[in-house]
Amino acid sequence: MTSQDPKPKKNLIIDTDLFSDVDDAGALLLASTSPHINLLGIQVNKPSTYSVLAASAIVSYYTPSPHKAIPIGVFRHPTRDGSVIPLPDTTFLDVVSWHLGEFASKIAHQFTSPSSPDSVTQFRPSTIPWGHADEDAWDALPLYRKLLSEADDASITIASIGFLDNLSLLLDSDPDAFSPLTGRQLISQKVAELVVMGGRYPAGRSWNFFGSDPDSTHHNGGRGLGLGPKGTANVINNWPTLEKDGWKGQVVYVSDEVGEKVLTGGELVKKGPKGDPVGRAYGYYAYGEARPSWDPVAVLYAIDGLGELFKYDERYGHGRNWVSEQDGSNRWVWEVEVKNQFVLALKADHEAVAREIDRLFLKGALSAAVQRAGPMSL
């Protein structure tokens, strides 16, 4: 590649728990509208028909080409007899503050139901239609193995902005029809970077690291439907390394504190197109108020790298993360020989990062609205 050649696009897979917080929707907007990446697929780690449909609707709405299909996978809890557990269709209920609204089922119905005037199924036929989440969504594990096996070596970035259950299944997977490699070997060969939104540093406890635990009560009144802390610990503690597996990539952790004060989404509700799905999601969830940007920060870093907004926290230059499989708590373990794990920090102030995310939200939403209006006006 010469100096005149454009920088190659990064291959990105997003693993999201789109359901109980709207910042996942904002993160999907960023990924779906960025010119700097190839969005290979969306993995949903919160088993829910509405999560699957909302994810499909969002990426379909923003994808420029009607012929490009972004596959959607969803976590399926392994069963001893190989049977498939149907996806639940329960909705989010804020039983903590009794303030936040539900958005996933609304976006799912409004943008995937053929009877809805806002449905994207008419001009994006690859969208999973209302009522078909169970049969049309991929199981996350085979989708991961397919996407990785088809990619160039060391070309994939995975942004985990939710539970790590899908990644745990991938890590432990056996060879299959997609690849003769184990999951560990596939990761070592194909993944260049893992970005994990979760954890507190140097130590603490984070929702993304324990919230899928079936034995843990959810803040929406239900219970987890995944692997819980054991799945998280498997990924964080046993991820491939250079010494054991020859993996030359890196892991970057985005702590809960980083996006907590980066408040975004309010501008999209006020100034964005009225028919924009993510703008509506922020309106339903927070009634137009700006929200913390845990997941948009992680995905923006996954897309663009450090740039002018981010840096690696110098306090964690050598070492690795460690997670308890009992309760999902984490702590940073200092090890001089480990040089490929980092904790992200803000280089710019919170307000500057928020302005940039809001700018990208509006740019992506307005561009999609123009593209959608074009064929309709002919």
Side-chain angles (χ1 to χ4, degrees), residues 60-61 66-67 118-125 127 372 376:
S60 295
Y61 182 92
H67 306 294
D118 297 313
S119 177
V120 296
T121 57
Q122 56 185 315
F123 64 98
R124 293 289 190 270
T127 309
R372 187 177 182 187
M376 297 172 64

Side-chain angles (χ1 to χ4, degrees), residues 314-331:
E314 296 178 354
R315 294 173 295 176
Y316 311 104
H318 295 276
R320 61 180 177 85
N321 202 5
W322 180 87
V323 172
S324 165
E325 67 174 28
Q326 302 302 317
D327 65 358
S329 60
N330 75 286
R331 59 183 172 87

Side-chain angles (χ1 to χ4, degrees), residues 8 20 25 33 43 63 75-76 93 99 104 117 120 138 155 181 184 205 212-213 228 235 310 330 340 351:
S20 60
T33 58
Q43 299 279 29
T63 301
F75 175 79
R76 304 279 192 175
L93 175 65
H99 171 70
V120 296
W138 281 77
S155 70
L181 303 179
R184 189 176 197 85
R205 192 165 183 253
S212 69
D213 187 354
V235 174
F310 306 116
N330 75 286
N340 69 335
E351 291 80 8

Side-chain angles (χ1 to χ4, degrees), residues 141-162:
L141 176 56
L143 180 57
Y144 255 134
R145 292 188 57 84
K146 178 180 186 294
L147 295 176
L148 266 61
S149 67
E150 294 173 347
D152 292 337
D153 290 354
S155 70
I156 289 181
T157 294
I158 298 174
S160 173
I161 54 172

